[in-house]
């Protein structure tokens, strides 16, 4: 079904603005801002997000949709396993954004890095 809506080689950014082609071409023609999302904005996962997180969740959902379409078209596995995994990941990401939890990437996290005040070098 997904492969009928867009080309399998489509990037996630293309999937994100599907349904907003008219607005996209109008924006390009008039040199205004391009639309952020199209039909994906009406998905239930995007609707659950706070207004400030709708763009982030729509990007995550578009990326997972593009991957699922590629898996569906090119993979040998049959079944909805990748879709279920992707939905769980998107829901987890939504919870992270809504909860305000910041994921630690590296370091011990025991303290902030000390920032020193910039001192202008003396004139030579």
């Amino acid at each position: 079904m997904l492969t009928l809506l867009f080309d399998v080689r489509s990037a996630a950014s293309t999937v994100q603005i599907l349904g907003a082609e008219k607005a996209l071409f109008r924006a390009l023609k008039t040199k205004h801002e391009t639309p952020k999302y199209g039909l994906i904005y009406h998905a239930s996962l995007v609707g659950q997000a706070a207004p400030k997180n709708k763009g982030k969740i729509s990007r995550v959902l578009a990326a997972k949709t593009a991957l699922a379409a590629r898996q569906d078209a090119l993979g040998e596995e049959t079944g909805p396993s990748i879709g279920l995994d992707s939905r769980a990941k998107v829901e987890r990401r939504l919870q992270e954004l809504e909860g305000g939890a910041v994921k630690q990437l590296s370091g011990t996290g025991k303290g902030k890095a000390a920032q020193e005040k910039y001192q202008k070098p003396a004139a030579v």
Side-chain angles (χ1 to χ4, degrees):
M1 177 70 179
L2 291 174
T3 55
L4 297 176
L5 296 175
F6 57 91
D7 189 12
V8 177
R9 297 170 295 186
S10 297
S13 59
T14 305
V15 175
Q16 186 176 345
I17 61 166
L18 278 177
E21 289 88 0
K22 188 175 179 181
L24 174 67
F25 293 126
R26 183 177 352 121
L28 292 174
K29 183 178 176 183
T30 59
K31 300 197 171 145
H32 284 90
E33 291 185 15
T34 57
K36 290 183 184 178
Y37 21 69
L39 293 174
I40 204 166
Y41 188 75
H42 301 292
S44 62
L45 286 170
V46 177
Q48 292 173 7
K52 67 177 185 175
N53 295 328
K54 285 185 189 276
K56 290 179 184 178
I57 291 299
S58 67
R59 276 192 299 277
V60 170
L61 188 58
K64 296 298 180 187
T65 304
L67 287 173
R70 291 179 190 142
Q71 174 70 26
D72 185 37
L74 305 172
E76 297 170 1
E77 184 179 322
T78 58
S81 63
I82 191 166
L84 297 174
D85 294 341
S86 296
R87 182 175 178 99
K89 288 179 183 177
V90 172
E91 288 174 347
R92 194 175 325 120
R93 178 69 176 141
L94 179 60
Q95 288 175 353
E96 287 175 6
L97 290 172
E98 296 294 324
V102 179
K103 194 182 285 186
Q104 182 178 347
L105 297 176
S106 63
T108 61
K110 297 197 181 203
K112 287 188 172 183
Q115 290 191 349
E116 300 173 12
K117 187 173 180 182
Y118 176 75
Q119 296 292 331
K120 187 176 177 182
V124 178

